[in-house]
């Protein structure tokens, strides 16, 4: 395992060696039986660490995949229990969505997620205030190749590689539907970014 400092993100750019370019690779909506294992295998082959924004009810269904992601050095973070639009839920439902997911993640990883990615990126002042009240930092993304719309693996890779810059948060999906194109695009994305001198950090929101 590489000796990456998971706290580097909290320290920000000055902590990173001069000239180092880094990105955050994130996977939403998993774990899924079919695609998460494939994503983990590819990340492992390229020695890349990523962040999995998991849906709690999927962790309940496939706890071993969340455990495996944790054991391989990836960050597992909160993407709610059942993927609702958090702008449209009561405070009671909001708490349930976050805390139940926390509990299932904690059972597999031993820690409580500090990052929250609201489904659909749907946030506002109330969502932000509620997230903060539960100790969460909202993490959206800066590069979205719309892999879920299945435009083709080469298009997914091209969109990521055209937009990525140092500090980018790349949004991909390992659950919630057929993600075979995402899996197929991943080696090309990793190979090219490595060739450009990028390193990969997981997000911890510490
Ligand atoms: Zn999602």
């Amino acid at each position: 395992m590489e000796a990456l400092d998971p706290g580097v993100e909290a320290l920000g750019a000055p902590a990173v060696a001069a000239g180092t370019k880094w990105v955050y690779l994130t996977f939403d909506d998993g774990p899924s039986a079919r695609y998460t294992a494939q994503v983990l295998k590819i990340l492992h082959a390229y020695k890349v660490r990523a962040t999995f924004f998991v849906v709690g009810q999927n962790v309940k269904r496939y706890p071993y995949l969340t455990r495996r992601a944790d054991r391989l050095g990836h960050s597992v973070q909160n993407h709610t229990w059942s993927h609702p639009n958090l702008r449209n839920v009561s405070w009671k439902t909001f708490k349930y969505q976050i805390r139940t997911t926390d509990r299932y993640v904690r059972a597999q990883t031993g820690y409580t997620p500090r990052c929250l990615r609201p489904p659909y990126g749907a946030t506002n002042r109330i969502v932000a205030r509620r997230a903060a009240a539960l100790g969460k930092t909202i993490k959206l993304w800066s590069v979205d190749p719309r892999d879920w719309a299945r435009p083709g693996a080469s298009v997914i890779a091209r969109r990521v590689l055209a937009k990525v810059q140092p500090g980018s948060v790349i949004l991909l999906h390992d659950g919630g539907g057929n993600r075979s194109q995402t899996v197929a695009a991943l080696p090309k994305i990793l190979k090219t970014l490595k060739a450009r001198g990028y390193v990969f950090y997981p997000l911890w929101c510490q």
Side-chain angles (χ1 to χ4, degrees):
M1 201 57 71
E2 293 167 283
L4 284 181
D5 176 4
V8 73
E9 173 227 349
L11 300 172
V16 178
T20 301
K21 298 193 291 185
W22 70 101
V23 288
Y24 305 100
L25 206 53
T26 68
F27 294 90
D28 285 14
D29 297 353
S32 74
R34 193 175 178 85
Y35 304 106
T36 303
Q38 296 178 48
V39 167
L40 288 172
K41 201 170 168 185
I42 294 167
L43 295 176
H44 189 61
Y46 284 86
K47 294 185 165 57
V48 163
R49 291 196 207 176
T51 304
F52 290 85
F53 283 94
V54 293
V55 172
Q57 62 186 10
N58 294 341
V59 177
K60 184 182 181 186
R61 203 170 302 145
Y62 310 112
Y64 58 96
L65 289 169
T66 290
R67 190 160 58 244
R68 195 186 302 169
D70 174 66
R71 297 296 182 276
L72 288 167
H74 304 294
S75 173
V76 180
Q77 300 295 329
N78 197 317
H79 195 43
T80 75
W81 178 254
S82 61
H83 213 270
N85 184 329
L86 291 177
R87 289 190 295 218
N88 302 334
V89 302
S90 68
W91 173 225
K92 189 182 172 202
T93 299
F94 191 104
K95 279 189 287 191
Y96 175 82
Q97 288 282 331
I98 305 311
R99 287 178 172 165
T100 312
T101 302
D102 276 352
R103 194 158 61 243
Y104 276 87
V105 170
R106 199 160 50 233
Q108 301 308 323
T109 67
Y111 62 83
T112 303
R114 289 171 170 272
C115 309
L116 169 65
R117 176 167 285 167
Y120 319 104
T123 186
N124 59 21
R125 282 175 58 197
I126 295 169
V127 170
R129 195 160 53 229
R130 287 174 171 179
L134 297 178
K136 303 289 183 251
T137 299
I138 290 180
K139 273 287 170 191
L140 299 178
W141 56 84
S142 57
V143 175
D144 177 9
R146 298 169 70 81
D147 63 323
W148 51 268
R150 287 184 253 158
S154 60
V155 173
I156 293 169
R158 199 183 319 134
R159 286 175 178 171
V160 169
L161 295 170
K163 282 195 183 166
V164 75
Q165 54 185 16
S168 285
V169 179
I170 301 165
L171 171 63
L172 294 168
H173 294 81
D174 67 316
N178 182 333
R179 306 307 184 207
S180 55
Q181 292 184 7
T182 305
V183 169
L186 201 49
K188 166 90 173 170
I189 291 169
L190 299 180
K191 218 178 300 177
T192 308
L193 290 180
K194 284 199 154 195
R196 290 185 191 171
Y198 278 97
V199 295
F200 299 81
Y201 292 129
L203 291 163
W204 297 100
C205 300
Q206 284 166 330

